[in-house]
Amino acid sequence: MRIAMANDHAGTQYKNEIKAYLESQGHEVVDFGTYDEASCDLSDFVLPAALAVARGECDRGIFVDGVGYGSALISNKINGCYAAVCQDTFCAQLARWHTDSNILCIGAKIIGSMIAMEVVKAWMGTEPLTDEKYRRRVQKVCDINDKYCVPVKED
């Protein structure tokens, strides 16, 4: 699987740890930065990573910032991105089971690195539920996305 990764200065360490894990599991990681802990603007890195997911250039995205919500807010503005902030493994599973989220957002100032890694493992290892009611609910969200989010324009 091809995974887009992005972060701000607060998420650099976690991103690097998660990236190493994903690569050890055979995934290809496309790292959109940032690459150090110098203060930066999150959107400069999350936006191109989210666009890569929306365009199908990457299968999923994992974004790490201080709290996680900045990455989710940016990502969820992009047509075709379904980002969830997860702070524990149960929420990570639910984000895949019930909503088929394609972007995981983690807050490096909120959870420890060991928990973050378990969240990644849970999210990556969980497939969406296929019962009719879950497929119907996910489709309704996709329909809302298609109606109200402007399609991604090619640069």
Side-chain angles (χ1 to χ4, degrees):
M1 190 175 301
R2 194 163 199 225
I3 310 295
M5 292 200 74
N7 61 288
D8 67 0
H9 49 282
T12 301
Q13 178 185 337
Y14 283 21
K15 181 201 64 182
N16 290 335
E17 292 172 10
I18 294 166
K19 179 180 175 180
Y21 167 74
L22 292 171
E23 290 174 338
S24 78
Q25 298 300 302
H27 298 289
E28 178 185 353
V29 174
V30 181
D31 188 343
F32 288 86
T34 189
Y35 307 103
D36 58 36
E37 295 179 358
S39 183
C40 65
D41 296 333
L42 179 63
S43 57
D44 293 343
F45 307 99
V46 167
L47 178 59
L51 288 170
V53 174
R55 291 178 178 144
E57 297 162 7
C58 293
D59 302 299
R60 294 191 198 171
I62 299 177
F63 307 157
V64 187
D65 64 56
V67 182
Y69 291 103
S71 292
L73 287 169
I74 295 163
S75 300
N76 284 325
K77 302 286 186 224
I78 307 300
N79 186 302
C81 290
Y82 304 96
V85 179
C86 298
Q87 299 171 351
D88 59 53
T89 56
F90 183 61
C91 288
Q93 290 173 321
L94 289 173
R96 292 287 302 140
W97 279 335
H98 289 222
T99 66
D100 193 13
S101 63
N102 59 1
I103 296 175
L104 170 64
C105 301
I106 295 174
K109 293 181 179 179
I110 305 298
I111 60 175
S113 65
M114 291 176 62
I115 293 173
M117 191 62 68
E118 293 305 312
V119 167
V120 168
K121 290 175 185 177
W123 188 78
M124 288 295 295
T126 302
E127 292 301 319
L129 295 173
T130 58
D131 297 4
E132 171 59 30
K133 71 177 180 179
Y134 296 108
R135 287 195 323 255
R136 182 183 70 245
R137 292 171 183 169
V138 168
Q139 187 58 53
K140 285 183 177 186
V141 173
C142 291
D143 292 346
I144 292 167
N145 174 83
D146 293 344
K147 183 174 181 178
Y148 295 102
C149 288
V150 176
V152 175
K153 295 178 185 174
E154 296 301 318
D155 292 333

